[in-house]
């Protein structure tokens, strides 16, 4: 059972336009959400995060929105640049009740292509 | 070297071989992780170590054996693997396990089991 879902495997946008990447989750115990970006042949790198007590977090061109009632979050990139072309992973954090650590659950990722 | 490094970057092995994946972090972090990413599947957490102690073993088969000799190094020992174990194995580290500690990932080892 996939608790974090990115239903769009790919997205293509024009340079300068807005990119909107979506993520849905099922576990209401998730308390923190992150977006990671991955270029080919590199590991994922942290991009932006949001706590479950907030509904928006902004960092430069990147904004993450959280709708807890819908269990949905989205990443907005505006304006999109060709260098933003990468795979974007949504991740959600929950405390591991059987242990002593937080656990990240990842979505499958969305490949964003920004065309010049 | 900076960040999180992994060696080798690519590995091809037979089902009867024994090999090890190595991860090293140069960030002064206390927690380290092994993840597996199979084709068209999400990243799956395998193991978590904090201060060289294993705190999570996510129902991983015993043919995968982790080792954390110190807080900077993490190994994944592999033996009698199956072709379905072919995947990208990612190591990550974070300052600690609690709070909003960001995980920093290495580039991964692309493993192919023949």
């Amino acid at each position: 059972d996939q608790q974090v879902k990115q239903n769009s495997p790919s997205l293509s946008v024009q340079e300068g336009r807005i990119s909107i990447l979506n993520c849905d989750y099922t576990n209401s115990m998730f308390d923190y959400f992150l977006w990671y970006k991955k270029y080919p042949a590199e590991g994922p790198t942290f991009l932006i995060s949001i706590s479950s007590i907030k509904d928006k977090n902004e960092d430069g061109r990147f904004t993450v929105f959280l709708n807890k009632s819908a269990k949905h979050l989205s990443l907005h990139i505006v304006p999109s640049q060709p260098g933003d072309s990468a795979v974007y992973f949504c991740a959600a954090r929950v405390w591991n009740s059987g242990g002593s650590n937080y656990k990240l659950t990842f979505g499958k990722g969305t490949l964003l292509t920004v065309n010049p | 070297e900076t960040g999180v490094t992994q060696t080798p970057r690519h590995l091809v092995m037979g089902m009867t071989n024994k090999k090890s994946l190595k991860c090293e972090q140069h960030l002064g972090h206390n927690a380290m992780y092994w993840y597996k990413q199979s084709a068209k599947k999400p990243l799956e957490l395998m193991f978590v170590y904090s201060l060289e102690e294993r705190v999570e073993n996510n129902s991983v088969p015993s043919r995968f054996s982790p080792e954390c000799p110190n807080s900077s190094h993490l190994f994944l020992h592999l033996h009698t693997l199956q072709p379905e174990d072919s995947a990208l194995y990612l190591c990550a580290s974070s300052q600690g396990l609690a709070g909003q500690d960001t995980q920093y990932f290495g580039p991964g080892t692309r493993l192919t089991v023949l």
Side-chain angles (χ1 to χ4, degrees), chain A residues 36 41 43-44 93 96 101-102 106, chain B residues 9 42 56 97 99 103 105-106:
Chain A
Y36 279 81
R93 188 189 79 175
N96 180 11
N101 59 284
Y102 280 102
F106 286 81
Chain B
R9 295 294 307 274
E56 178 157 351
L97 296 178
Q103 292 184 25
F105 285 83

Side-chain angles (χ1 to χ4, degrees), chain A residues 2 4 32 34 36 38 41-46 51 89 93 95-96 99-108, chain B residues 9 33 35 37 40-43 45 48 55-56 58 88 90 97-108:
Chain A
Q2 213 177 320
V4 177
Y32 193 66
L34 308 91
Y36 279 81
K38 184 180 184 301
E42 294 183 15
T45 56
F46 171 74
S51 167
F89 292 98
R93 188 189 79 175
W95 181 251
N96 180 11
S100 57
N101 59 284
Y102 280 102
K103 179 175 176 177
L104 283 184
T105 300
F106 286 81
K108 290 185 181 181
Chain B
R9 295 294 307 274
Y33 310 77
Y35 285 88
Q37 187 179 23
K40 299 185 179 179
K41 285 188 173 182
L43 276 163
L45 180 65
V48 180
V55 297
E56 178 157 351
N58 219 21
L88 179 68
L90 287 159
L97 296 178
Q100 297 168 357
D101 291 326
T102 301
Q103 292 184 25
Y104 295 82
F105 285 83

Side-chain angles (χ1 to χ4, degrees), chain B residues 55-67:
Chain B
V55 297
E56 178 157 351
N57 175 356
N58 219 21
S59 301
V60 178
S62 59
R63 57 186 184 268
F64 295 91
S65 174
E67 178 191 2

Side-chain angles (χ1 to χ4, degrees), chain A residues 3-4 6 9 11 16 27 30 32 43 50 66 69-71 76 78 84 86 88 93 95 99-100 105:
Chain A
Q3 296 187 46
V4 177
Q6 293 177 257
L11 174 68
N27 188 345
F30 289 141
Y32 193 66
I50 188 167
L66 175 63
S69 60
K71 293 191 175 70
H76 292 212
V78 57
D84 296 329
Y88 288 79
R93 188 189 79 175
W95 181 251
S100 57
T105 300

Side-chain angles (χ1 to χ4, degrees), chain B residues 14 18 20 22 26 31 41 79-80 88 90 97-99 101:
Chain B
K18 288 185 180 181
S20 296
K22 179 183 175 182
H26 310 267
K41 285 188 173 182
H79 63 97
T80 59
L88 179 68
L90 287 159
L97 296 178
D101 291 326

Side-chain angles (χ1 to χ4, degrees), chain A residues 16-78:
Chain A
R17 307 294 289 270
I18 185 171
S19 296
I20 300 176
L21 298 128
N22 293 304
C23 179
D24 296 294
Y25 63 94
T26 56
N27 188 345
S28 58
M29 298 303 291
F30 289 141
D31 66 349
Y32 193 66
F33 302 88
L34 308 91
W35 284 94
Y36 279 81
K37 174 179 175 180
K38 184 180 184 301
Y39 293 116
E42 294 183 15
T45 56
F46 171 74
L47 187 59
I48 192 170
S49 61
I50 188 167
S51 167
S52 60
I53 62 173
K54 296 187 175 181
D55 55 17
K56 178 182 175 181
N57 187 26
E58 190 172 353
D59 183 3
R61 296 186 297 114
F62 302 91
T63 303
V64 56
F65 294 92
L66 175 63
N67 182 334
K68 281 187 67 178
S69 60
K71 293 191 175 70
H72 176 84
L73 68 155
S74 60
L75 174 67
H76 292 212
I77 306 173
V78 57

